[in-house]
Amino acid sequence: MSTAVIHANIVDAIALPRIVWLRPNLIGLAFTLMKLLPARHIVRKAGESGELRPGGLIAETTSGTFGLALAMVARLQGHPLFLVSDPAIDAPLKRRLEDLGATVHIVDKAGASGGYQQARLEVLERVLRENPGSFCPRQYTNPHNPESYAPCAEQLSHAAGAVDCLIGSVGSGGSVCGISSYLRLLGPELEVVGVDTHRSVLFGQSDAGSGRLLRGLGNSLMPANVDHTAFDQVHWVGAAEAFRATRELHRGHSLFMGPTSGAAYLVADWWARRNPDRLGAVILPDEGYRYLDTVYDDAWLEAQGARLDVLPREPVEWDHPHDGTDPWAFYQWGRRTHAGVMGGAARLQGVPS
């Protein structure tokens, strides 16, 4: 019988992923809610430094799982929480956040540039000014975000030893950049594959006409926590392909995950087929319960024009990042800076350009 552990709370109990085989040469890191790692660590560090006082207000901008993770941590530690979001937030998530005691402010108009994310940041800064002593985790720029993934890298290394490749979707830059930075202390040759989506600015596309159907990865602004020099290869995956892959991950492996997991799985499965003698690990960030009425609903997929019967087997290789519409494409990024690939400076989120 294995040794049973009683955790201090539910955050500590579920912060780390379950590690499962997806192929003989591919490991899945299946999180219940990956963002618990940065939420817990950032709040802990702020408390240790005095930046966050006992009972102090936490305020952040989010439309997804970081808000839920922050709400769980804030509730357990007795902090009031103010979240700035946009119409993309789904109603069940909003109800859950409010049930955890968070105040959820919805921005109803996108900014002239930077879309809803810029508009949300402007509201957030106003809330912080009006509440002296409040604390903002700033997941896009806070170095404690990538730092928080050290326990996950340690867990993977203990379970599997050295892996040859890490594959994961990119949004704030925390998970893939954080885990890979620790794994490369053990194996500097580790290959890192980032998964983005179309009309995201992270790796050289514009967000013109944005309103991405696939959420949870990509961005309209450039987070300072994205270290472009970490990435060997970058993929752009369309919404329909990610949704189909999410369903196949469920049907093939009984892994009930969200669409960012599906996008990453599509790329990881392709990588594993091309590299039968190497070992890969793919990050699967959250579970599928939020998506029962969308990604797991065929009628919704039909209505969105996002239902696929068969996945493409291979991506199209691009010779340079651009605003192409190939449903699945990749580019050999080669651990270069954004400016080194695109020939210009990226606009950093939360940092004046």
Side-chain angles (χ1 to χ4, degrees):
M1 179 181 294
S2 60
T3 303
V5 175
I6 300 176
H7 296 275
N9 54 59
I10 189 60
V11 170
D12 289 349
I14 65 174
L16 287 173
R18 287 85 66 200
I19 300 180
V20 298
W21 288 108
L22 301 176
R23 282 182 172 272
N25 66 330
L26 181 62
I27 293 166
L29 306 177
F31 285 88
T32 301
L33 182 59
M34 183 180 74
K35 294 288 188 176
L36 285 171
L37 282 173
R40 179 182 65 175
H41 187 67
I42 289 171
V43 170
R44 177 185 297 158
K45 299 299 284 189
E48 290 173 355
S49 68
E51 193 175 1
L52 175 62
R53 296 171 298 185
L57 174 69
I58 300 174
E60 179 61 294
T61 169
T62 175
S63 62
T65 53
F66 186 67
L68 177 57
L70 206 52
M72 294 173 67
V73 171
R75 186 68 175 184
L76 289 171
Q77 299 191 15
H79 294 284
L81 177 65
F82 189 99
L83 297 174
V84 185
S85 191
D86 62 47
I89 190 171
D90 55 88
L93 174 61
K94 182 172 182 289
R95 287 197 300 272
R96 188 172 174 191
L97 293 171
E98 291 172 339
D99 202 49
L100 285 165
T103 298
V104 183
H105 176 91
I106 305 297
V107 172
D108 58 7
K109 185 177 181 181
S113 63
Y116 279 109
Q117 294 197 9
Q118 184 61 42
R120 285 161 36 187
L121 283 169
E122 292 171 0
V123 173
L124 174 65
E125 295 305 326
R126 176 174 56 78
V127 170
L128 294 171
R129 285 195 304 272
E130 293 174 351
N131 293 274
S134 55
F135 169 72
C136 179
R138 300 190 191 280
Q139 64 158 329
Y140 298 115
T141 57
N142 193 326
H144 294 315
N145 178 359
E147 181 183 284
S148 72
Y149 288 91
C152 180
E154 181 179 12
Q155 178 196 26
L156 176 59
S157 297
H158 278 231
V163 298
D164 299 302
C165 182
L166 178 70
I167 303 108
S169 54
V170 185
S172 73
S175 59
V176 179
C177 296
I179 295 172
S180 65
S181 69
Y182 291 108
L183 293 181
R184 278 181 172 156
L185 296 176
L186 301 174
E189 68 285 357
L190 173 77
E191 181 180 358
V192 176
V193 178
V195 181
D196 197 1
T197 190
H198 306 82
R199 297 188 298 282
S200 158
V201 304
L202 294 182
F203 294 98
Q205 289 207 342
S206 75
D207 69 339
S210 196
R212 295 182 296 274
L213 186 59
L214 176 59
R215 304 295 297 256
L217 73 169
N219 214 311
S220 295
L221 296 173
M222 185 66 75
N225 275 333
V226 175
D227 176 8
H228 291 86
T229 65
F231 295 92
D232 296 280
Q233 190 178 94
V234 174
H235 287 241
W236 291 265
V237 174
E241 289 70 24
F243 297 159
R244 177 71 194 188
T246 305
R247 300 289 289 272
E248 294 204 358
L249 182 61
H250 188 216
R251 292 166 177 169
H253 299 281
S254 296
L255 274 167
F256 185 52
M257 311 303 291
T260 54
S261 298
Y265 171 66
L266 174 69
V267 174
D269 189 67
W270 170 78
W271 182 92
R273 285 186 275 112
R274 283 166 53 104
N275 297 276
D277 298 323
R278 303 175 69 203
L279 177 62
V282 57
I283 303 168
L284 308 174
D286 72 336
E287 294 185 325
Y289 296 101
R290 285 182 58 204
Y291 316 100
L292 274 171
D293 294 331
T294 55
V295 178
Y296 289 89
D297 184 334
D298 289 342
W300 183 87
L301 293 173
E302 289 277 8
Q304 303 299 320
R307 181 174 178 177
L308 280 184
D309 292 326
V310 180
L311 278 175
R313 293 279 293 174
E314 305 285 339
V316 174
E317 183 171 5
W318 287 349
D319 59 7
H320 195 270
H322 58 89
D323 289 346
T325 57
D326 294 302
W328 178 16
F330 77 100
Y331 174 71
Q332 301 291 359
W333 192 269
R335 302 194 189 189
R336 288 172 288 171
T337 64
H338 186 279
V341 173
M342 303 304 297
R347 183 181 180 189
L348 296 180
Q349 182 156 326
V351 179
S353 58

